[in-house]
Amino acid sequence: MNKNIIIFISILCIVFSIPLIHAKVKLPTILGNNMVLQQQTTVKLWGESDPKAKIKIKTSWNHKKYTATADADGKWLLAVATPVAGGPYEINISDGEETVLENVLIGEVWFCSGQSNMEMPMRGFDRQPLKNTNDIIAKAKTKTPIRMYTTDSENGSWVRQFSKKPETDCKGKWLENAPENVANISATAYFFASCIREVMEVPVGIIVSSWGGSMVEAWMSREAVSPFKEIDLSFLDNDDSPVRNPTSTPCVLYNAKIAPLINFTIKGFLWYQGESNRNNADLYARLMPAFVKDLRQRWGVGDFPFYFVQIAPFNYEGADGTSAARLREVQFQNMKEIPNSGMAVTMDIGHPVFIHPMDKETVGNRLAYWALAKTYGKSGFGYLSPEYKSMEIKEDKVYIDFDNAPGGICPMWTDLEGFEIAGENKVFHPAKAEIETRTARLVVSCTDVPAPVAVRYLYKNYAEASIFSIYGIPATPFRTDNR
């Protein structure tokens, strides 16, 4: 046979065989082995394949078969129903070449985000240990149905991701409950997951996406930030303008570390952030409701629970400064304004020179108490912090009443710290405070203020909690002079 004819036939064979070559289905990292899917709902599976390819999916929990068709760009998305909590299961996905997702659990899924106090792993930061975590790490077992997906680190090394444009995937991986994985996961998120798993007796998945030092603006989408004209977003359209500080650059953390994960169905959202927004607290007061509203609209699963942490005591620009106090006040206002939200108060675990509280178990548990009570309908325990309700002035004393204090404020028969009192001149003086034995009311007074008009409690950057509910939940800080 003529050599040229042989070459021609070979070329034809290659050309006509091209459509028969399939690229294996490409899945986002959030869809992988060891993942947890939200129970008793409809979840999304999605990915990429050849344009117009038929995608066949089979779920082992019901042996049901689904079919999706990729669009002209090769993208596809499919909704599947999940059963009650259980597992492990498999998901078979094929466009001609099969991909099998193994060791999949069905349970409760929570998204965990914020800055360094959410990011801080169970092993602690370098030279900054955590309390009572080493024993938990050592005893971690893979059979314990807690699974962890993290965008923050890989094998203990930080992974930093940011983008000017919304991404469709990110670096991350689902991990089992093994010591080497537990050591590097967010301590706040892990303690929350442990409490929920133990009480609810279901698998729990936590998605951790955080970055130390970050401001809330960095975690917001362009659409959410756009109404705030004092924030310049023009750099997002300038390819020549590099992102020099991702933690304070609007939208770039949302684009890289939230946007790729929004298709993944969650039960609720945990947020531990605010320290970096102390100096723009009034703006923060407006940003947070917009942030949460935008997240809920994008996930499209209703007003999911949003539970967050009030920042703990720390010296900042000085113990007697009030920038952190004002931010805490704004956080309290946010809780009242944002539907289906709750705030964990941490005024009893701060430290004057360590911005990262060592006791992350208390933080995670207090977030879990909110979820157990409000989201899962459990009762019989405390989760609400006592809140200032009203005051009554009688001669030279001020009597304070509280909401969320069944059984009264504690402790009795001791002087209580952290109170200040002022007269008409609004000069505040350290005050004597105690719970009156006869009335069980909190009474505040000061010999230097014979005609008091206002009281403040813990309205400083650093001050230690002294009043609690009978469940040991600290009262939220307050001031009466702005009411």
Side-chain angles (χ1 to χ4, degrees):
M1 184 180 291
N2 185 286
K3 183 178 180 181
N4 290 333
I5 294 176
I6 294 174
I7 294 173
F8 177 72
I9 292 173
S10 299
I11 293 172
L12 286 178
C13 290
I14 293 171
V15 170
F16 284 107
S17 69
I18 288 175
L20 302 177
I21 297 174
H22 291 276
K24 191 173 184 179
V25 169
K26 180 183 177 183
L27 299 175
T29 60
I30 190 67
L31 298 179
N33 297 334
N34 307 316
M35 69 178 172
V36 180
L37 296 177
Q38 179 61 40
Q39 67 169 324
Q40 295 181 286
T41 188
T42 299
V43 302
K44 296 173 183 176
L45 303 176
W46 71 100
E48 296 180 12
S49 184
D50 295 326
K52 304 300 182 180
K54 294 291 184 183
I55 314 299
K56 296 180 179 180
I57 297 174
K58 182 179 178 180
T59 51
S60 72
W61 54 81
N62 57 7
H63 304 290
K64 188 172 181 179
K65 297 179 180 179
Y66 303 83
T67 301
T69 302
D71 64 16
D73 296 321
K75 300 180 188 294
W76 59 270
L77 182 147
L78 182 72
V80 302
T82 54
V84 296
Y89 298 109
E90 288 185 354
I91 302 175
N92 295 69
I93 304 174
S94 176
D95 65 347
E97 185 174 353
E98 188 175 54
T99 296
V100 181
L101 301 182
E102 300 175 319
N103 202 22
V104 174
L105 298 181
I106 307 293
E108 295 296 298
V109 182
W110 289 78
F111 199 104
C112 311
S113 189
Q115 58 182 111
S116 57
N117 270 307
M118 178 62 82
E119 181 184 63
M120 193 174 195
M122 288 285 284
R123 61 173 170 78
F125 288 139
D126 291 350
R127 298 173 299 282
Q128 299 177 71
L130 287 179
K131 181 181 177 182
N132 299 330
T133 56
N134 192 53
D135 187 63
I136 295 169
I137 294 169
K139 294 177 180 178
K141 299 179 176 65
T142 56
K143 69 179 182 181
T144 301
I146 294 175
R147 304 286 176 76
M148 306 155 287
Y149 175 91
T150 176
T151 71
D152 295 352
S153 65
E154 184 175 0
N155 299 323
S157 298
W158 296 113
V159 175
R160 297 310 191 190
Q161 305 179 70
F162 56 91
S163 174
K164 285 188 178 184
K165 305 293 182 184
E167 300 290 344
T168 58
D169 199 7
C170 60
K171 295 178 182 178
K173 186 178 182 180
W174 280 100
L175 305 170
E176 291 186 288
N177 193 66
E180 61 271 21
N181 297 329
V182 172
N184 295 311
I185 202 67
S186 162
T188 295
Y190 187 80
F191 280 118
F192 171 88
S194 296
C195 185
I196 297 298
R197 184 204 66 80
E198 183 175 356
V199 175
M200 300 299 295
E201 297 183 308
V202 298
V204 175
I206 47 175
I207 300 169
V208 180
S209 188
S210 56
W211 192 330
S214 56
M215 301 177 73
V216 68
E217 297 94 316
W219 294 101
M220 298 175 69
S221 72
R222 181 171 189 159
E223 292 76 11
V225 176
S226 292
F228 300 90
K229 301 306 180 185
E230 58 266 67
I231 300 177
D232 182 12
L233 297 179
S234 61
F235 73 95
L236 292 174
D237 300 317
N238 184 353
D239 292 336
D240 296 325
S241 176
V243 177
R244 301 188 185 282
N245 187 355
T247 59
S248 61
T249 302
C251 310
V252 298
L253 298 187
Y254 167 85
N255 290 339
K257 290 166 67 71
I258 291 183
L261 308 173
I262 281 177
N263 277 334
F264 200 86
T265 302
I266 61 173
K267 185 67 173 185
F269 203 105
L270 305 182
W271 179 249
Y272 195 167
Q273 189 274 340
E275 295 92 342
S276 292
N277 283 91
R278 288 180 302 106
N279 295 319
N280 64 344
D282 291 339
L283 177 60
Y284 192 80
R286 295 184 290 128
L287 289 173
M288 280 302 298
F291 171 55
V292 178
K293 182 179 179 180
D294 184 63
L295 290 178
R296 287 170 169 169
Q297 288 176 342
R298 291 176 183 279
W299 251 283
V301 291
D303 283 352
F304 55 62
F306 184 86
Y307 301 132
F308 62 97
V309 183
Q310 191 178 50
I311 62 173
F314 176 69
N315 275 353
Y316 292 106
E317 72 275 8
D320 291 335
T322 59
S323 63
R326 173 60 184 148
L327 195 283
R328 293 186 199 107
E329 188 173 56
V330 163
Q331 290 181 305
F332 178 73
Q333 294 168 358
N334 287 157
M335 181 180 67
K336 298 299 182 181
E337 296 167 359
I338 298 171
N340 198 18
S341 69
M343 182 179 71
V345 175
T346 57
M347 297 304 294
D348 55 336
I349 65 168
H351 193 283
V353 297
F354 297 123
I355 196 171
H356 304 118
M358 295 175 64
D359 183 5
K360 290 293 190 287
E361 184 172 11
T362 292
V363 182
N365 284 347
R366 285 180 182 162
L367 289 168
Y369 300 155
W370 271 99
L372 290 170
K374 285 196 67 179
T375 302
Y376 298 115
K378 302 293 183 181
S379 61
F381 55 90
Y383 69 100
L384 295 167
S385 290
E387 299 172 3
Y388 168 81
K389 179 181 179 182
S390 62
M391 72 174 188
E392 181 183 9
I393 300 173
K394 289 186 177 181
E395 299 177 348
D396 61 345
K397 296 180 179 179
V398 179
Y399 289 83
I400 304 291
D401 291 309
F402 292 85
D403 286 325
N404 306 333
I409 292 293
C410 304
M412 297 279 288
W413 308 300
T414 186
D415 289 340
L416 304 172
E417 303 294 330
F419 286 89
E420 300 173 283
I421 197 167
E424 288 290 348
N425 62 4
K426 296 296 179 71
V427 176
F428 282 86
H429 299 263
K432 175 180 173 60
E434 62 181 346
I435 298 170
E436 199 172 63
T437 301
R438 181 178 61 85
T439 64
R441 298 177 75 191
L442 177 66
V443 57
V444 185
S445 63
C446 176
T447 56
D448 294 329
V449 185
V453 299
V455 171
R456 290 182 174 185
Y457 171 63
L458 304 185
Y459 202 77
K460 294 179 181 294
N461 287 341
Y462 182 82
E464 297 180 8
S466 65
I467 55 175
F468 301 81
S469 72
I470 60 173
Y471 298 103
I473 309 293
T476 192
F478 65 87
R479 56 174 173 159
T480 68
D481 53 306
N482 71 326
R483 297 177 185 272

